[in-house]
């Protein structure tokens, strides 16, 4: 990526400042529990984390360490390939899977390269964000030739982390006082994806960001990060950017927008960003857990009453997602769609 091109430079108020903040950080939750009492306690811990932070880390989560190490190895091998080789699997306007090095967040280019793959292959999504356009498009994964074990390793990893995502979804349902399977039907034909992120060393880390500030649009994100660090979340209480310290073999979980809406603002989809550094490359692997394209997202009826009316109008997940995917692809004149667009007067 060479020097810092103007396309990467953040507005002055968004540039990272040297952090002197020392905090305990987000909750770390041990998932190795058994019995009804243990599960209730675990759900309660997760609920508290979702309310206060919108982020938490999990340990003893059931995803084999050996598999995680294998996917980290193939990710590094792929990003180490010559640019011409990587671009053989490049994303295009008709298919957003594959390699990409021009991602934008809030219309500023991110200092990173990515490789995206769908969890369900094929995945079905609306052809356009237009509410009157009923066409559904079929998307399939684009795979690189090298490294040869890339496809099989990533698919195996997807399946294991997807199991963890469903387990977390059940615990979050329980934490809201709902049956464990309350949210499961929304994911029958889920539209989620796995992403491999590569953040090269940056000559001017004080000007650029690996990912600009944003909230995730889906339901949950399950993130593996290496030991370099760089992820920061915005603390609810004072708006300060708090670094998330890497814990070996832990996963970072964050609540995304759809879950904030389903919970009627009981749980928070927190803003976060990634800072870069000038010395070390960084890798991270998020699994974005998204509902089926036909799901209408709105506050769950069990959580709405006269004292606590619905804070959001219903919206189509598929249309919302397709709108946001387009704005990640290139710089747009308009800001991308946010859940704030669907707020009701009662939410004020």
């Amino acid at each position: 990526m060479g020097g810092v091109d103007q396309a990467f430079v953040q507005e002055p108020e968004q540039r990272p400042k040297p952090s002197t903040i020392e905090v305990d950080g987000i909750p770390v939750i041990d998932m190795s529990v058994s019995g009804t009492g243990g599960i209730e306690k675990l759900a309660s811990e997760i609920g508290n984390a979702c309310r206060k932070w919108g982020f938490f880390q999990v340990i003893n989560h059931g995803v084999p360490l050996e598999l995680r190490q294998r996917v980290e190895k193939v990710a590094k091998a792929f990003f180490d390939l010559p640019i011409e080789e990587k671009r053989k699997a490049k994303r295009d306007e008709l298919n957003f899977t594959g390699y990409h090095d021009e991602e934008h967040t809030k219309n500023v280019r991110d200092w990173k390269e990515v490789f995206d793959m769908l969890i369900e292959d094929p995945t079905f999504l609306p052809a356009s964000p237009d509410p009157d356009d009923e066409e559904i498009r079929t998307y399939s994964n684009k795979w690189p030739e090298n490294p040869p074990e890339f496809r099989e390793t990533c698919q195996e990893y997807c399946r294991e982390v997807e199991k963890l995502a469903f387990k977390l979804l059940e615990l979050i349902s329980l934490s809201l006082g709902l049956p464990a399977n309350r949210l499961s039907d929304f994911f029958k034909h889920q539209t989620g994806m796995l992403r491999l992120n590569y953040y090269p060393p940056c000559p001017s880390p004080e000007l650029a960001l690996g990912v600009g500030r944003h909230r995730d649009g889906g339901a949950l994100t399950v993130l593996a990060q290496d030991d370099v660090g760089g992820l920061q979340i915005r603390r609810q209480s004072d708006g300060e950017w708090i670094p998330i310290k890497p814990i070996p073999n832990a996963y970072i979980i964050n609540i995304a927008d759809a879950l904030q809406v389903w919970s009627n603002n009981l749980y928070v989809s927190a803003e976060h960003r990634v800072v870069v550094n000038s010395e070390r490359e960084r890798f991270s692997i998020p699994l974005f857990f998204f509902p089926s394209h036909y799901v209408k997202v709105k506050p769950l009826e069990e959580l709405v009453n006269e004292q606590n009316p619905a804070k959001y109008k219903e919206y189509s997940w598929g249309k919302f997602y397709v709108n946001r995917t387009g704005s990640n692809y290139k710089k747009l004149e308009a800001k991308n769609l946010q859940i704030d667009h669907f707020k009701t007067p009662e939410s004020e």
Side-chain angles (χ1 to χ4, degrees):
M1 283 180 170
V4 176
D5 185 281
Q6 192 59 36
F8 294 101
V9 175
Q10 295 284 329
E11 293 293 330
E13 67 274 13
Q14 301 303 338
R15 291 175 195 168
K17 298 176 182 66
S19 179
T20 54
I21 295 175
E22 289 292 326
V23 289
D24 294 336
I26 60 172
V28 178
I29 297 174
D30 187 340
M31 293 188 70
S32 59
V33 297
S34 57
T36 310
I39 288 169
E40 284 175 2
K41 182 173 179 291
L42 179 57
S44 172
E45 285 179 35
I46 286 175
N48 290 337
C50 293
R51 266 189 294 275
K52 184 177 178 186
W53 290 96
F55 269 80
F56 54 97
Q57 299 205 54
V58 293
I59 56 173
N60 297 319
H61 40 67
V63 179
L65 176 59
E66 170 273 333
L67 177 58
R68 175 165 166 170
Q69 289 168 335
R70 273 197 288 134
V71 83
E72 287 169 347
K73 189 176 171 186
V74 297
K76 178 163 172 50
F78 173 78
F79 288 116
D80 281 349
L81 292 170
I83 189 72
E84 306 75 43
E85 184 73 17
K86 288 186 279 196
R87 283 187 173 154
K88 287 180 185 174
K90 191 165 168 51
R91 182 201 289 195
D92 58 50
E93 298 219 21
L94 292 176
N95 187 346
F96 58 86
T97 69
Y99 173 74
H100 191 49
D101 60 356
E102 295 179 29
E103 182 121 311
H104 289 74
T105 304
K106 310 279 186 201
N107 281 340
V108 181
R109 192 168 163 193
D110 296 329
W111 188 269
K112 68 173 180 184
E113 300 174 29
V114 306
F115 193 99
D116 287 338
M117 65 208 82
L118 299 159
I119 301 169
E120 297 289 341
D121 189 354
T123 285
F124 304 99
L125 284 168
S128 79
D130 179 352
D132 299 322
D133 182 357
E134 294 181 7
E135 185 190 345
I136 299 299
R137 197 168 278 168
T138 304
Y139 291 91
S140 291
N141 281 322
K142 190 179 283 192
W143 297 104
E145 290 171 25
N146 291 302
E149 66 279 16
F150 185 94
R151 177 177 183 164
E152 192 179 327
T153 306
C154 289
Q155 287 175 326
E156 190 183 341
Y157 181 79
C158 266
R159 292 272 91 83
E160 286 299 319
V161 182
E162 183 187 28
K163 284 182 205 167
L164 173 58
F166 271 112
K167 198 184 300 181
L168 289 161
L169 198 68
E170 291 187 351
L171 289 162
I172 287 166
S173 295
L174 290 170
S175 76
L176 289 164
L178 304 170
N181 64 356
R182 176 63 177 89
L183 301 169
S184 306
D185 281 356
F186 297 146
F187 295 84
K188 277 184 175 166
H189 303 98
Q190 61 142 312
T191 54
M193 66 178 191
L194 184 76
R195 166 170 285 183
L196 310 178
N197 282 320
Y198 168 56
Y199 302 96
C202 177
S204 301
E206 72 286 355
L207 295 178
L209 287 168
V211 186
R213 65 185 179 92
H214 67 287
R215 296 190 315 234
D216 291 350
L220 277 181
T221 304
V222 182
L223 175 79
Q225 68 166 347
D226 63 16
D227 63 348
V228 175
L231 178 63
Q232 298 182 339
I233 70 168
R234 179 166 268 177
R235 188 161 55 191
Q236 304 300 311
S237 55
D238 57 9
E240 285 287 349
W241 288 102
I242 307 297
I244 295 190
K245 194 175 170 188
I247 297 175
N249 195 26
Y251 280 94
I252 297 166
I253 314 300
N254 69 276
I255 296 300
D257 287 350
L259 250 168
Q260 177 169 322
V261 172
W262 284 329
S263 77
N264 205 27
N265 277 1
L266 285 172
Y267 292 171
V268 64
S269 171
E271 220 173 20
H272 50 288
R273 67 182 187 182
V274 174
V275 298
V276 286
N277 71 83
S278 56
E279 283 100 44
R280 294 181 67 188
E281 61 184 11
R282 175 179 181 262
F283 295 89
S284 73
I285 306 173
L287 180 133
F288 299 107
F289 199 44
F290 296 160
S292 313
H293 78 83
Y294 48 78
V295 166
K296 299 286 190 276
V297 180
K298 62 179 180 179
L300 298 171
E301 57 197 34
E302 300 95 319
L303 304 178
V304 172
N305 55 41
E306 273 186 44
Q307 290 73 41
N308 191 29
K311 295 180 170 64
Y312 297 91
K313 297 183 292 235
E314 177 181 281
Y315 64 92
S316 156
W317 164 252
K319 296 292 186 183
F320 179 81
Y321 178 34
V322 169
N323 175 288
R324 286 173 66 109
T325 306
S327 66
N328 290 349
Y329 188 77
K330 55 194 170 187
K331 186 164 180 173
L332 299 177
E333 294 310 310
K335 287 185 178 177
N336 67 2
L337 197 59
Q338 306 289 341
I339 55 170
D340 291 354
H341 290 92
F342 303 104
K343 277 185 172 177
T344 62
E346 287 78 9
S347 66
E348 300 307 323

